[in-house]
Amino acid sequence: MISLWNRLKGIGDASVMNITYGQTLSKAYGSIDREFPQKDPFIRMDHFVFVSPSGLDFHPHYGFESINYNYQGATQHSDNIGNDEYLGPGFVQNMKCGNGILHAEFPVGVANGITLWLNLSKKNKAEKAKFQFSRAKDVPKIKKNGVTIKLLVGKAFDLQSKVTTETPSVILNIELNPGASHIQPVQRTWTSFMYVMIGEVDASGVTVQEYHTADIVNGDQIRFENRSRNRNAVIFFFSAVAIGDPIYVDRNGSHGYVARTQREAENVKKEYENGLNGFQTRRWIKI
């Protein structure tokens, strides 16, 4: 059986954050959802680069999973469900916001990485928040022929990440040495896209430049090749099952609610203001 090569569409710039010393993340939080249409179940993706003492004090989220990967540097995570974790270089975290959570995040020195918002189903939006993470040493890794693949989330290559999501998903960090290539299997019925963090990649005949994203559609596999002679390329591959629910995103600064309707979002904001459900401890922590 001959597999069809994927073609890429919708190549567009991701919003890369260049945050200067002393500037808070909430004032310079890069988001690509204005230029990069939401693709069920993906809500938004950020490539963050920020420097201590920048960061976000306690703020509310609802209705999605927030996956963070520290490609370089470290961050400190705190929340109102009892977690206070140092997340070092190479750590992966998933914060399931569920029916509400308050959390704070700060870089330890300089932090460079990826944040992804993944939608939750109606059922999962009603569940309590949950936090999970994996240390760098526990992230499954494959090295072969100049290619290093780290399985950040989900299951792939007969390996299983310690970090899972409610919606089946796979997130890979792929590094290609100069001249190296990798053929990545793709689930046709899943929503998939890629992001180039460093370098330039040929993706089945389409050049995707640094800080760019691209949809991956219509095929069973895709070939990534680094044609540079002297520079490594670093890319991220994202793939997940579409949920099929309506999506309504309400964001104001660092506050983020992913609901099914505007009415639902308004109700959640009232719960936050009154310290209800997942926001019930807000009166005892600094906001």
Side-chain angles (χ1 to χ4, degrees), residues 106-122:
F106 291 89
V108 180
V110 179
N112 174 22
I114 293 292
T115 296
L116 180 77
W117 286 13
L118 193 67
N119 194 24
L120 286 170
S121 67
K122 179 181 179 180

Side-chain angles (χ1 to χ4, degrees), residues 11-145:
I11 296 177
D13 290 334
S15 217
V16 179
M17 293 187 296
N18 296 307
I19 299 181
T20 58
Y21 182 85
Q23 188 175 17
T24 63
L25 183 58
S26 59
K27 291 181 180 177
Y29 203 19
S31 68
I32 62 173
D33 52 331
R34 295 174 185 170
E35 303 174 16
F36 177 80
Q38 292 160 1
K39 302 169 181 65
D40 182 14
F42 300 112
I43 305 300
R44 63 193 293 250
M45 187 212 77
D46 291 297
H47 174 181
F48 61 81
V49 181
F50 60 114
V51 180
S52 178
S54 301
L56 286 173
D57 211 335
F58 282 97
H59 58 284
H61 287 319
Y62 163 87
F64 62 96
E65 295 180 274
S66 177
I67 296 102
N68 274 33
Y69 172 59
N70 290 339
Y71 179 73
Q72 296 171 319
T75 53
Q76 185 72 33
H77 167 95
S78 302
D79 59 46
N80 68 332
I81 59 173
N83 298 292
D84 189 12
E85 299 289 348
Y86 168 85
L87 303 170
F91 279 43
V92 186
Q93 75 165 62
N94 178 13
M95 183 180 69
K96 175 185 173 182
C97 303
N99 69 352
I101 192 171
L102 300 164
H103 83 119
E105 52 192 339
F106 291 89
V108 180
V110 179
N112 174 22
I114 293 292
T115 296
L116 180 77
W117 286 13
L118 193 67
N119 194 24
L120 286 170
S121 67
K122 179 181 179 180
K123 171 181 175 292
N124 294 143
K125 289 180 191 295
E127 296 171 345
K128 291 183 179 180
K130 182 174 70 174
F131 181 79
Q132 55 180 301
F133 72 94
S134 175
R135 293 176 173 84
K137 66 181 180 63
D138 297 323
V139 174
K141 182 166 60 175
I142 299 173
K143 295 187 74 172
K144 185 177 180 180
N145 299 328

Side-chain angles (χ1 to χ4, degrees), residues 163-189:
V163 176
T164 60
T165 55
E166 296 291 347
T167 300
S169 66
V170 172
I171 302 177
L172 304 175
N173 174 208
I174 304 171
E175 184 159 358
L176 304 170
N177 289 351
S181 63
H182 166 65
I183 296 177
Q184 175 60 42
V186 178
Q187 293 275 7
R188 275 180 176 264
T189 58

